[in-house]
Amino acid sequence: MIRQTTFTLSPRRRGAHLVTSEIARQLGELPAVGLVNLLIQHTSAALSINENADPDVRVDMAAIFDRLVPERAPYYTHTMEGDDDMPAHAKSTLAGASLSIPVSNGRLNLGRWQGIYLLEFRDYGGPRTIVATIIS
């Protein structure tokens, strides 16, 4: 069986945000065994799986992306939507727009130290829409 749901994550400022619980609440009851695919429907934010225990990792991840893809690079031509827009598109491409997560015993089967991140690459990106496809 395949089920699909669409939901919105609350707005966040630029940075790496742990959203595992917020997403899990939106998924509802999961099958005993299956797969969840999450797609973020935006080109200036991304989803990632990473460290869920030490918040310093989230700070460092945001800093790494900002250093890899700086604002106001002289070679950008897409500049009308603000200094953070074109870098946000590039960062989104690097990080990715979707995740596939196994489901076991009715729960997302993430590793002990893993959590789902919303990587917000705009200063004020607004609410972010996620399409979740649940396969059992």
Side-chain angles (χ1 to χ4, degrees):
M1 178 166 65
I2 299 174
R3 175 170 56 95
Q4 195 168 75
T5 185
T6 301
F7 56 89
T8 303
L9 297 176
S10 58
R12 290 174 171 83
R13 295 175 58 132
R14 183 192 310 215
H17 307 278
L18 190 62
V19 293
T20 312
S21 296
E22 186 176 355
I23 287 175
R25 280 192 303 275
Q26 295 290 335
L27 295 177
E29 187 175 343
L30 293 174
V33 175
L35 186 69
V36 172
N37 178 269
L38 302 171
L39 171 74
I40 188 165
Q41 292 186 312
H42 301 276
T43 60
S44 55
L47 295 173
S48 179
I49 295 176
N50 216 304
E51 165 77 45
N52 70 353
D54 185 350
D56 288 345
V57 173
R58 296 189 291 278
V59 172
D60 291 345
M61 289 299 293
I64 288 166
F65 274 106
D66 286 343
R67 180 144 187 203
L68 284 173
V69 186
E71 292 184 3
R72 296 177 290 285
Y75 47 83
Y76 294 155
T77 57
H78 176 72
T79 59
M80 292 179 55
E81 296 179 57
D83 288 339
D84 64 344
D85 189 49
M86 187 58 230
H89 295 316
K91 293 171 188 178
S92 174
T93 295
L94 290 172
S98 68
L99 299 173
S100 291
I101 304 168
V103 174
S104 301
N105 300 315
R107 299 181 60 184
L108 296 174
N109 194 348
L110 294 166
R112 170 182 276 184
W113 305 113
Q114 290 181 319
I116 303 169
Y117 283 16
L118 167 65
L119 299 172
E120 178 55 67
F121 299 126
R122 298 294 310 261
D123 289 334
Y124 302 99
R128 298 303 192 174
T129 303
I130 306 292
V131 177
T133 303
I134 302 159
I135 304 166
S136 60

